[in-house]
Amino acid sequence: MRILKYLTVIASVMFLTSCDKHGLDLADGNEQPMDENMAELRIHYAEPIKTGAASRFDSLYINNKLYANSTNAFGATNVMPNSNKFYQAPIGTVNMKCWRKSTDPVYDFDFTASKGKQEVFIYDLEQAPIVLNTSFPYYSTAASGTAATWGADSTAYVEFYNFLYEEYGDGNKVPYEGTLQLQYQDLRDAEKWHNIGEPVAFGQASGRAEVRIIKSAGVNNGTRTVKYRMVDADGNPLKYITNKGVEAEYSLNYDTTNGRVYMFYSWGIRTSKTIVTSLVGKAIH
């Protein structure tokens, strides 16, 4: 019994120590203690190109330090280090370089990192990244509903980022010119749609908003499939070109769990059937 007691104490100390470390730093996955004067960065690759092996970067350097290599899948629509961790880097001017089977980097730009958590979007290899603050608080908890209004409902939180492109007849792709509003369909009344945050232009974030998760049975793990859509500045459902070359209204069914925090960003080229519009969804907490 005494041995078991000591093993329990040792295990508890190890657990507390591991929980105290955050800010993934190196390509080998080692975690480093977080310095108060460091920025926390999550890197998204949102350029509208064909996904797959050809889109992947072989290596990612931040301030000439290797953060990801060819063993990490960092291609279009991917995020590094992953959707619920961050790299750490010094506050101030930060340089980011990416290679893709090349002698010289295919991406080499500086950006400004601030104290706290930030989302860094590579959206064009000819442009510096767009850096947006991660909404606070970073974490969330399940919110109980009222018996009169929501019964056993709970809450998830979602934030929307706009990185949708358009393409003209000459093949030139440009950022979508209007604003987009993300909405979710009411789980009780399919005719109702609820706005998530504010309408946003290209490169902007909507702000985090509640999504009500309604239990479908007496015993439920808190996950429901929720339908999301984007509407344009006139309030009309966003139309896009499918991979079959026909126009349709875009929507996405996504499993959403109470108490969790999600980010969605619009990706692709609205008028292209090869780089088709989509919502990229990630659970970040």
Side-chain angles (χ1 to χ4, degrees):
M1 292 297 293
R2 182 174 296 176
I3 293 174
L4 179 60
K5 177 180 178 181
Y6 291 155
L7 287 175
T8 302
V9 171
I10 292 171
S12 299
V13 171
M14 290 177 65
F15 174 77
L16 290 172
T17 302
S18 65
C19 287
D20 191 50
K21 294 182 178 181
H22 58 103
L24 190 66
D25 192 10
L26 302 174
D28 59 10
N30 288 333
E31 292 186 353
Q32 307 293 331
M34 187 67 199
D35 188 308
E36 291 184 358
N37 295 316
M38 299 288 277
E40 297 180 73
L41 309 174
R42 189 158 44 201
I43 316 297
H44 304 265
Y45 187 22
E47 184 187 18
I49 62 174
K50 289 184 178 180
T51 59
S55 76
R56 293 174 186 166
F57 295 124
D58 296 326
S59 55
L60 165 67
Y61 280 77
I62 297 177
N63 288 342
N64 296 316
K65 184 177 183 179
L66 180 64
Y67 276 61
N69 54 31
S70 58
T71 63
N72 308 110
F74 188 35
T77 73
N78 292 146
V79 57
M80 295 297 293
N82 63 36
S83 60
N84 56 19
K85 288 188 177 181
F86 292 79
Y87 292 130
Q88 57 176 301
I91 293 171
T93 301
V94 173
N95 176 260
M96 181 164 58
K97 294 184 177 71
C98 300
W99 275 261
R100 183 186 286 145
K101 294 181 174 61
S102 56
T103 302
D104 297 319
V106 295
Y107 191 77
D108 184 358
F109 279 97
D110 293 342
F111 63 93
T112 301
S114 305
K115 185 176 180 179
K117 293 177 170 63
Q118 289 128 91
E119 311 294 337
V120 181
F121 287 88
I122 300 173
Y123 67 99
D124 186 332
L125 295 187
E126 302 298 324
Q127 300 291 332
I130 289 177
V131 182
L132 299 168
N133 290 330
T134 306
S135 289
F136 183 84
Y138 176 61
Y139 57 88
S140 176
T141 56
S144 58
T146 63
T149 307
W150 291 103
D153 300 355
S154 291
T155 304
Y157 289 86
V158 172
E159 186 161 18
F160 173 59
Y161 302 76
N162 180 6
F163 284 92
L164 186 64
Y165 275 80
E166 303 245 295
E167 186 175 57
Y168 296 107
D170 59 2
N172 184 39
K173 59 185 179 184
V174 297
Y176 180 75
E177 294 181 353
T179 59
L180 292 176
Q181 171 75 67
L182 184 65
Q183 296 181 329
Y184 77 95
Q185 188 178 48
D186 192 289
L187 286 170
R188 283 201 174 94
D189 185 349
E191 297 300 316
K192 290 183 179 179
W193 291 85
H194 303 280
N195 290 340
I196 295 175
E198 299 295 327
V200 288
F202 186 88
Q204 295 180 343
S206 67
R208 191 178 296 168
E210 293 184 355
V211 171
R212 286 287 180 171
I213 308 300
I214 299 170
K215 288 185 177 180
S216 57
V219 178
N220 186 280
N221 67 357
T223 299
R224 289 291 304 275
T225 300
V226 178
K227 178 175 281 190
Y228 297 88
R229 73 178 184 183
M230 295 173 283
V231 298
D232 61 23
D234 295 322
N236 300 314
L238 182 73
K239 292 186 176 181
Y240 76 113
I241 302 300
T242 70
N243 57 7
K244 295 182 179 180
V246 298
E247 188 176 66
E249 293 182 359
Y250 183 83
S251 65
L252 171 70
N253 292 322
Y254 194 90
D255 287 348
T256 309
T257 302
N258 64 21
R260 301 208 69 177
V261 179
Y262 298 86
M263 63 178 298
F264 288 88
Y265 68 85
S266 54
W267 177 88
I269 302 174
R270 190 187 67 83
T271 51
S272 170
K273 69 175 184 178
T274 56
I275 305 173
V276 179
T277 297
S278 65
L279 274 173
V280 179
K282 301 182 186 297
I284 63 173
H285 187 271

